[in-house]
Every structure is written in structure tokens, then in C-alpha cells.
Amino acid sequence: MTPEQIIRKFFEEVRSGKNPDYSDQLMSEQVLAHQIVSEEEQTVLRTPKDYAEHVREMIEAYGNYSLEIQELLVQGPKVYVRWKQVGAHVGVVDGYQPTGLPITQMTSAVYKIEDEKISEYWIQIDRSGVQKQLEYNKHIK
């Protein structure tokens, strides 16, 4: 598969929550995940099993969310993806009790493909936007 096909399959099966365990087919045994949390860069090591659990945690928090790829660009072994994810706040998120109200998350990432598997990625999530929605929604009756 090409890098684009791998990433499209990853979003279709794994990131969407439809089949999180398919991560073992699309991710290297160890993946470097570069993230920004509170404006601090962090790098964590993820395994396909870790990632599948991460997706299951998102399902617990946001239910069967929708995911729409809004932009996808390929340059050699790297694929840039920007997506919109919409779910319902059905589980505790960052200390906020469930409201059942919609939560929209905007995210982008660059994935690096080696040996036909995701080996590394750099992700940016609009955490401030999610936080504002959670804060706003807790006051709606």
C-alpha cells in the first residue's frame, strides 16, 4: 500500500473507532508520537495496543463519534491529515461530567510511513476549543 492508502485505511478502521485493534496491521511495533500539551512538546512511545486502547477511551468519552478528513496531503513517506471529529459528551472528560451535548474537535497530524506502517507522527489538537466547549456545556440545562 502507498502511504496515502495506509493513512486512509488507518482513519477508516482505527482512528474512526470502527476497528481499533486493526492498529496492529497499520502501525509499527513502536511508534514515536510527538504531541503538544499545554504548549509543551512531548514525545511518547506508543504500541498498536496502546493506540487501540486510546481509541476505546475516546469512544467511552464521546460515544460513536463521526470523523471527517478535511485535508490530506502526501509528500514522499509523510502524510498530512486535518480532520474534524464530532461526538457526544457521554463520559467524564478532564473532570467534566457527561452532558450528552456535542463536542467538536479539530486536529491535524503528520504521519511518517516506513516499511508500509506508521512509524512516527506529529499531532496538534485544538485542546483549548474542546475545553471551551466542555466549560460552556456544563452550564446548559
Side-chain angles (χ1 to χ4, degrees):
M1 286 195 291
T2 68
E4 179 177 351
Q5 290 169 324
I6 291 164
I7 294 305
R8 286 193 184 277
K9 191 67 152 174
F10 176 74
F11 272 80
E12 180 183 305
E13 293 292 330
V14 180
R15 190 68 183 67
S16 68
K18 291 178 186 170
N19 187 4
D21 293 319
Y22 195 68
S23 57
D24 66 352
Q25 300 297 308
L26 301 171
M27 298 179 81
S28 297
E29 288 183 24
Q30 296 189 340
V31 176
L32 288 174
H34 307 278
Q35 308 172 87
I36 297 176
V37 178
S38 299
E39 305 306 318
E40 295 290 326
E41 291 183 40
Q42 297 179 356
T43 301
V44 296
L45 196 59
R46 287 200 185 264
T47 65
K49 184 178 178 183
D50 294 336
Y51 199 87
E53 183 57 33
H54 170 63
V55 171
R56 283 193 265 291
E57 288 169 359
M58 284 191 293
I59 294 168
E60 288 175 14
Y62 301 112
N64 291 323
Y65 53 85
S66 67
L67 189 143
E68 173 192 356
I69 293 176
Q70 296 186 320
E71 188 168 18
L72 188 144
L73 304 168
V74 181
Q75 185 173 10
K78 291 185 177 176
V79 180
Y80 166 83
V81 185
R82 181 172 44 84
W83 68 93
K84 178 181 179 180
Q85 180 176 309
V86 180
H89 182 195
V90 297
V92 177
V93 176
D94 296 335
Y96 289 89
Q97 295 301 311
T99 62
L101 296 170
I103 296 288
T104 300
Q105 180 176 294
M106 300 300 294
T107 308
S108 64
V110 174
Y111 296 89
K112 183 178 180 183
I113 307 301
E114 293 180 308
D115 299 323
E116 295 193 352
K117 292 198 175 194
I118 298 168
S119 63
E120 191 169 8
Y121 64 88
W122 297 259
I123 188 165
Q124 290 184 299
I125 302 169
D126 179 14
R127 294 183 195 279
S128 178
V130 171
Q131 183 72 28
K132 285 179 181 179
Q133 291 172 78
L134 292 167
E135 186 62 30
Y136 178 80
N137 288 352
K138 81 176 187 180
H139 299 292
I140 295 177
K141 303 281 184 221

